[in-house]
Amino acid sequence: MAFVAEIVTQLRRLEPALNEALLRLQQAQDSEALHDLRVCLRRIRSLLRPLRGCPGATRLDRAAAELGRLTTPLRDLEVLIAELARHRLDWQANVRQSEFQVRYRQLLAHPQLIGFPSLLHAWPRRFRRSAQRVAKHRLNKRLQRQQRQLRRALADTGYDRHRLRLLIKRLRYAAEAYPQRLPLSPAAMASLKAAQNALGDWHDREVWCLQAEHQADLWPLLPRWQAEQRQALVSADALLAALSPALAAKTGGASRS
């Protein structure tokens, strides 16, 4: 049962990190708490996504995904406020800070946030009862599929950059969750992270530019954001061009042990 124990151990390690992030979120004095909560959720989903269909895994994965969706607009607003403050647009930042506080309190009271820790804590017991062979076969098959999806996307020059960023993020976190079954060298992992960050910079500015079209108080930063968006896309495309051969050379097949 080493396979099952390995997954349960990883999940148990993530559980206190999640609870700590939730505690910091409730204290409302930590600007990184929301970000850290979302990182924990992504790591939990990276463990669960390939196991969907195993007892309870689909339900827990969907709950983590829903909590991620709930926190996305709030995190986006938090990042925008920091960007406005960085450029000393204090009035614009303060207006959005008031909105942020209202939505922050709504998140803390949301049943999805309140109930998720209990759901997470209860899942390993159900998973231990599942068929080990079926779970292992499903895991290997889905990890291999993630690699193929990203390679096909990288080969398609017209592939949507936002969706590509999500595929890169998904493969990177899966490799961290299952390093023995999805072996990537440190160089390949670094390439994934660099491409993800560059596409993240591009996506942030794309969203901000779209918001500025409808929010006149953001106009002072629109030319800067447009220029930064173009530069971020150039940087991202260069990193993507290097990522494809890096994965082809560095990625091994999923272990079948």
Side-chain angles (χ1 to χ4, degrees):
M1 299 294 287
F3 167 74
V4 172
E6 173 189 345
I7 294 173
V8 170
T9 297
Q10 287 202 62
L11 202 64
R12 288 303 190 205
R13 287 173 181 165
L14 288 169
E15 190 175 1
L18 178 92
N19 290 333
E20 181 189 10
L22 286 172
L23 178 61
R24 289 159 50 207
L25 198 69
Q26 292 166 354
Q27 293 171 344
Q29 296 178 343
D30 188 338
S31 61
E32 292 299 312
L34 183 59
H35 169 71
D36 291 347
L37 171 65
R38 287 169 55 78
V39 169
C40 284
L41 290 172
R42 284 196 293 269
R43 295 191 187 284
I44 290 168
R45 293 203 67 206
S46 295
L47 279 171
L48 294 172
R49 188 181 291 110
L51 299 172
R52 282 179 296 189
C54 295
T58 302
R59 180 188 177 196
L60 184 57
D61 180 59
R62 287 176 177 169
E66 178 59 25
L67 192 50
R69 283 190 290 270
L70 282 172
T71 57
T72 293
L74 193 61
R75 176 57 181 168
D76 288 346
L77 183 57
E78 187 175 48
V79 172
L80 176 58
I81 291 169
E83 172 74 2
L84 294 172
R86 185 168 71 89
H87 292 290
R88 301 184 183 279
L89 295 180
D90 296 334
W91 183 85
Q92 291 91 328
N94 290 337
V95 168
R96 287 164 178 81
Q97 185 65 37
S98 298
E99 178 188 355
F100 178 83
Q101 293 300 328
V102 171
R103 294 167 69 174
Y104 196 95
R105 289 191 292 270
Q106 291 173 343
L107 174 64
L108 291 178
H110 200 285
Q112 195 78 27
L113 184 75
I114 295 170
F116 185 78
S118 297
L119 193 63
L120 176 65
H121 184 74
W123 180 74
R125 179 180 296 180
R126 295 194 65 191
F127 180 62
R128 286 191 180 100
R129 299 173 186 162
S130 67
Q132 180 179 0
R133 182 177 300 177
V134 173
K136 186 184 294 186
H137 173 73
R138 182 178 287 122
L139 172 65
N140 289 333
K141 184 176 180 180
R142 288 176 176 171
L143 290 176
Q144 291 168 8
R145 184 188 305 161
Q146 286 189 29
Q147 294 182 69
R148 290 195 300 269
Q149 286 177 331
L150 179 55
R151 285 174 176 170
R152 285 196 297 265
L154 289 169
D156 182 356
T157 56
Y159 201 86
D160 179 77
R161 288 295 186 265
H162 175 58
R163 292 177 60 193
L164 183 57
R165 180 177 69 94
L166 297 180
L167 289 177
I168 290 171
K169 183 188 297 186
R170 187 173 298 175
L171 183 64
R172 177 190 162 206
Y173 277 98
E176 291 178 352
Y178 297 103
Q180 301 303 319
R181 299 177 184 279
L182 188 55
L184 295 177
S185 72
M189 290 295 291
S191 294
L192 282 170
K193 183 177 181 180
Q196 177 187 329
N197 288 341
L199 286 170
D201 289 342
W202 163 79
H203 183 255
D204 283 344
R205 281 144 187 85
E206 181 185 50
V207 171
W208 296 341
C209 288
L210 290 173
Q211 289 178 333
E213 293 179 4
H214 306 286
Q215 300 176 34
D217 64 335
L218 297 179
W219 287 357
L221 286 179
L222 183 57
R224 175 188 291 269
W225 286 341
Q226 289 172 332
E228 290 177 350
Q229 182 189 11
R230 290 190 294 269
Q231 183 56 49
L233 186 57
V234 170
S235 299
D237 283 344
L239 290 166
L240 291 172
L243 177 59
S244 187
L247 289 176
K250 301 294 185 182
T251 305
S255 168
R256 297 187 180 276
S257 60

